[in-house]
Amino acid sequence: RRVLFRSYPRRYILLEMENSTRYDSTLLVIALSVIGFNLFLTPSIEQKTIFQSKKEIVSTPSAYGLSHQEIFLPSKTGKIQSWYINNPNSKRVAIFFHGNSRNIGAFGNLYKNIYKTPSDLLIVEYPGYGKSEGTPSEDGVYQAAERAYQYLLNKGYTSDNIYLIGYSLGGAVATHLATKKKVAALFLISPISSVSDTVNRSEEHTS
């Protein structure tokens, strides 16, 4: 087994495990130290402070020339809005998890860049954000992530062709999923470094 740890400009980080059925404890320790995973373990920080849900979707992938299918995944919190983008030149797929103060409508330019790699995309909304039902919570975002992963398996993707991409708070969601399921790689973009980093900082707009 090998753990690959790579840093990229603008705080891009790739964590990859080869020849493993799931991410082992070595990867988990690295990931937790990178993103400050005590975010959800600090009682003094209320969930409503962490999750600044946004309902209005200002843009869709169509505005960036990307044809997409809107789907709603079932979960215990209610239906989870997601966008699926197919790239006919790709056999792999990336699941994208956004940060805490925007929703899936704010990252169109990033979706376009991922699509060009080439890759299919599954863009997952959180409970209480966008058109998703329910209320934002730790358990809710984890359930949404696992539903998205299972959806791709049901579509015929294999685990070694599923990549996870987490932006800011989404890095915590992606990392949690990577500790539960086998994936090809985990990408963290502007990962959180502490609880205060998540609560106080303003996310950089990527569109």
Side-chain angles (χ1 to χ4, degrees):
R1 294 182 180 183
R2 287 195 301 158
V3 175
L4 305 181
F5 181 80
R6 307 172 185 170
S7 295
Y8 292 89
R10 295 182 54 194
R11 300 172 70 188
Y12 284 58
I13 297 171
L14 165 62
L15 303 170
E16 183 177 357
M17 175 63 71
E18 295 185 348
N19 302 320
S20 176
T21 57
R22 68 167 56 184
Y23 282 80
D24 67 7
S25 57
T26 303
L27 173 59
L28 178 60
V29 169
I30 295 175
L32 300 193
S33 65
V34 171
I35 67 172
F37 205 67
N38 62 338
L39 169 68
F40 293 129
L41 303 179
T42 306
S44 61
I45 301 298
E46 297 182 3
Q47 302 257 350
K48 64 182 181 180
T49 303
I50 297 172
F51 296 106
Q52 302 168 25
S53 60
K54 304 293 184 183
K55 300 297 291 185
E56 181 183 4
I57 297 176
V58 297
S59 182
T60 69
S62 298
Y64 294 82
L66 300 175
S67 176
H68 71 284
Q69 175 187 3
E70 184 172 59
I71 59 177
F72 289 87
L73 305 174
S75 76
K76 294 180 180 179
T77 62
K79 296 179 180 179
I80 299 298
Q81 179 191 17
S82 300
W83 289 335
Y84 174 73
I85 302 173
N86 175 253
N87 186 327
N89 298 316
S90 174
K91 294 183 179 180
R92 64 184 179 183
V93 60
I95 308 177
F96 178 77
F97 302 100
H98 63 73
N100 69 315
S101 64
R102 290 186 174 86
N103 60 35
I104 59 175
F107 298 89
N109 194 52
L110 179 57
Y111 303 154
K112 187 174 182 179
N113 289 335
I114 296 171
Y115 178 87
K116 288 179 178 179
T117 56
S119 178
D120 300 339
L121 284 90
L122 181 61
I123 303 157
V124 184
E125 192 55 283
Y126 301 145
Y129 285 71
K131 297 180 183 179
S132 289
E133 298 175 346
T135 302
S137 69
E138 176 188 358
D139 289 341
V141 296
Y142 291 163
Q143 290 174 20
E146 293 195 22
R147 293 292 184 176
Y149 181 89
Q150 187 59 49
Y151 171 80
L152 292 178
L153 293 182
N154 293 344
K155 282 185 70 69
Y157 291 97
T158 58
S159 56
D160 56 353
N161 281 319
I162 297 177
Y163 295 73
L164 306 181
I165 302 176
Y167 176 81
S168 187
L169 177 71
V173 182
T175 300
H176 182 269
L177 182 59
T179 65
K180 300 294 184 181
K181 306 293 184 180
K182 180 184 176 183
V183 296
L186 168 64
F187 292 84
L188 305 178
I189 305 174
S190 296
I192 56 178
S193 59
S194 67
V195 174
S196 59
D197 192 21
T198 303
V199 174
N200 296 325
R201 83 173 177 176
S202 211
E203 291 181 314
E204 180 181 357
H205 191 54
T206 60
S207 293

